Amino acid sequence: MKACIRDAVIAMTAVSTAVALAACGPAARNNSGGGNTPKIGLLLPDATTARWETQDGPLLEKKIKELCDDCAVERANARGDVAIQQEQMDSMFTQGVDAIVLVAVDARSLGAAVKKASEAKIPVIAYDRLARGPISGYVSFDGEEVGRLQGRALLKAMGDSVHSSQIVMMNGDPSDPNAVSFKKGALSVLTGKVKIGKAYDTLQWRPETANMNMSGAISALGVGNIDGVYAANDGLAAGSISALKANKVKPLPPVTGQDAELAALRRIVGGDQYMTVYKPFGPEASAGAAMAVAAARGESLDRVATSKVRTSSGKAVPAVMLTPVSVTVDSIKDTLVKDGVYTIQQICTPQLGTACNEAGLT
């Protein structure tokens, strides 16, 4: 930004101040004929949730290159640390990126960094999570619908005894706006239908925290008194299931999930987890890449967007909102396998051979 202002001051001898400062924006920078290639920053939140490094990160890079073969992508992972992500944002400014795709570790804490980017005329695309501050665009799924899908699946799994059943809620990180939406959607389905014995918020979405909290819930409620578990994502499902097994809870109650992680699909086939929510990675990455490339080129995001979303300041920004899909053992083949996310060979380990046959995964 300092270099940008310096260049603008020099240019004032020939043109007006307004034109000089405008030349510092991404459109002018990339279309000036000076040989600069568009540079896009990609900031991922953590390595705890498998999707970021195995699906979204690689797919975003691939889609960006397909749309813009001369675009450079600078990718970083904050490893769940807000301070590290703030430093990574600063590094992106220093490297002179033309746009940033941000999956915020903590939406509120990153607000100041997003504002700084806006002041430097670097558009920020909030990906999957609605970051605070003056973002330029947003790509995600309907979070409340995710929670509703999970809630409906859990009620269905508990069957006719649902009204006398008791569940444990393992919600996500309350600093993540998506987690708030998932919880709201789930409660809209579960409230009044089932007793919520214990409910926990899980900082940084850590499976080990879910494991500890589930052990506490078992101690408080009793081994035989948990009829279902609402787990907001597959990592929390894994931590919860591990605690249930360690405390010899048999049979395992139905457990929800989200993100369609490979390990979760294996648990579903093996009967340890009831369902997951699949948020098709390809369409989300395609939309995020399209927004990022348009932003880096200084083009309008409205041509990419399908709707508008209001930010924390009340401003409506271009958005792409996608539809999540509920997946149980009966629908793995027609969703994730059909879409090419995983092969049957990847899902069906030797230990799951019989279960895979029974599920039609052959």
Side-chain angles (χ1 to χ4, degrees), residues 197-232:
K198 288 286 183 180
Y200 302 91
D201 290 331
T202 315
L203 296 179
Q204 296 185 0
W205 294 91
R206 292 187 179 277
E208 58 268 30
T209 303
N211 182 282
M212 179 184 66
N213 288 337
M214 182 55 69
S215 294
I218 294 167
S219 296
L221 302 175
V223 170
N225 295 319
I226 298 175
D227 303 299
V229 178
Y230 168 83

Side-chain angles (χ1 to χ4, degrees), residues 1-360:
M1 184 60 182
K2 289 181 180 178
C4 188
I5 294 173
R6 182 190 63 226
D7 293 344
V9 171
I10 293 172
M12 283 174 63
T13 58
V15 295
S16 69
T17 303
V19 172
L21 288 174
C24 295
R29 200 159 55 229
N30 294 323
N31 298 317
S32 61
N36 291 333
T37 60
K39 187 180 290 186
I40 295 170
L42 173 55
L43 297 182
L44 304 176
D46 61 67
T48 304
T49 303
R51 61 171 289 190
W52 303 125
E53 290 296 345
T54 63
Q55 298 290 340
D56 297 85
L59 281 170
L60 278 161
E61 288 197 38
K62 178 184 177 183
K63 298 294 184 181
I64 288 169
K65 288 293 186 180
E66 288 175 357
L67 293 170
C68 177
D69 58 8
D70 66 334
C71 280
V73 179
E74 299 294 332
R75 177 172 157 193
N77 191 308
R79 306 288 168 183
D81 191 312
V82 172
I84 289 176
Q85 194 166 62
Q86 290 171 330
E87 291 172 1
Q88 289 170 343
M89 284 282 282
D90 287 338
S91 176
M92 293 296 168
F93 302 157
T94 303
Q95 292 178 59
V97 300
D98 301 292
I100 294 173
V101 179
L102 172 66
V103 190
V105 173
D106 182 324
R108 185 183 299 274
S109 297
L110 266 294
V114 173
K115 182 179 179 183
K116 184 177 178 181
S118 177
E119 291 170 348
K121 300 189 184 302
I122 301 172
V124 174
I125 309 303
Y127 184 87
D128 203 72
R129 301 175 180 176
L130 186 61
R132 291 293 184 98
I135 61 171
S136 297
Y138 179 49
V139 177
S140 191
F141 286 80
D142 183 339
E144 289 188 31
E145 179 61 13
V146 169
R148 288 191 289 267
L149 289 175
Q150 293 168 320
R152 291 181 195 124
L154 191 58
L155 293 179
K156 180 179 179 181
M158 290 188 291
D160 295 337
S161 62
V162 64
H163 294 292
S164 59
S165 297
Q166 178 171 244
I167 69 167
V168 173
M169 289 194 75
M170 207 63 66
N171 301 302
D173 190 331
S175 69
D176 178 352
N178 280 357
V180 176
S181 295
F182 304 151
K183 182 178 179 180
K184 182 178 179 182
L187 286 174
S188 73
V189 172
L190 297 171
T191 301
K193 299 284 182 64
V194 65
K195 180 181 179 182
I196 300 171
K198 288 286 183 180
Y200 302 91
D201 290 331
T202 315
L203 296 179
Q204 296 185 0
W205 294 91
R206 292 187 179 277
E208 58 268 30
T209 303
N211 182 282
M212 179 184 66
N213 288 337
M214 182 55 69
S215 294
I218 294 167
S219 296
L221 302 175
V223 170
N225 295 319
I226 298 175
D227 303 299
V229 178
Y230 168 83
N233 79 350
D234 292 333
L236 302 187
S240 300
I241 290 167
S242 178
L244 291 165
K245 287 186 171 182
N247 285 275
K248 296 180 170 37
V249 175
K250 292 183 179 180
L252 287 174
V255 181
T256 67
Q258 177 188 180
D259 291 331
E261 293 181 3
L262 180 56
L265 297 183
R266 290 170 177 165
R267 288 193 297 270
I268 291 171
V269 172
D272 289 346
Q273 184 172 324
Y274 178 67
M275 64 84 72
T276 188
V277 175
Y278 169 40
K279 300 186 297 186
F281 307 111
E284 186 174 18
S286 292
M291 276 202 175
V293 170
R297 289 172 170 166
E299 300 168 355
S300 171
L301 299 188
D302 287 326
R303 68 178 182 82
V304 179
T306 57
S307 62
K308 295 276 188 178
V309 164
R310 293 201 175 274
T311 66
S312 55
S313 66
K315 180 183 177 182
V317 299
V320 175
M321 302 301 291
L322 302 162
T323 303
V325 180
S326 179
V327 175
T328 61
V329 68
D330 297 326
S331 56
I332 290 173
K333 191 172 184 178
D334 291 333
T335 53
L336 291 141
V337 174
K338 182 179 179 181
D339 289 356
V341 179
Y342 306 111
T343 64
I344 289 176
Q345 289 71 28
Q346 286 175 304
I347 299 167
C348 294
T349 61
Q351 295 88 342
L352 292 172
T354 301
C356 279
N357 287 332
E358 292 175 353

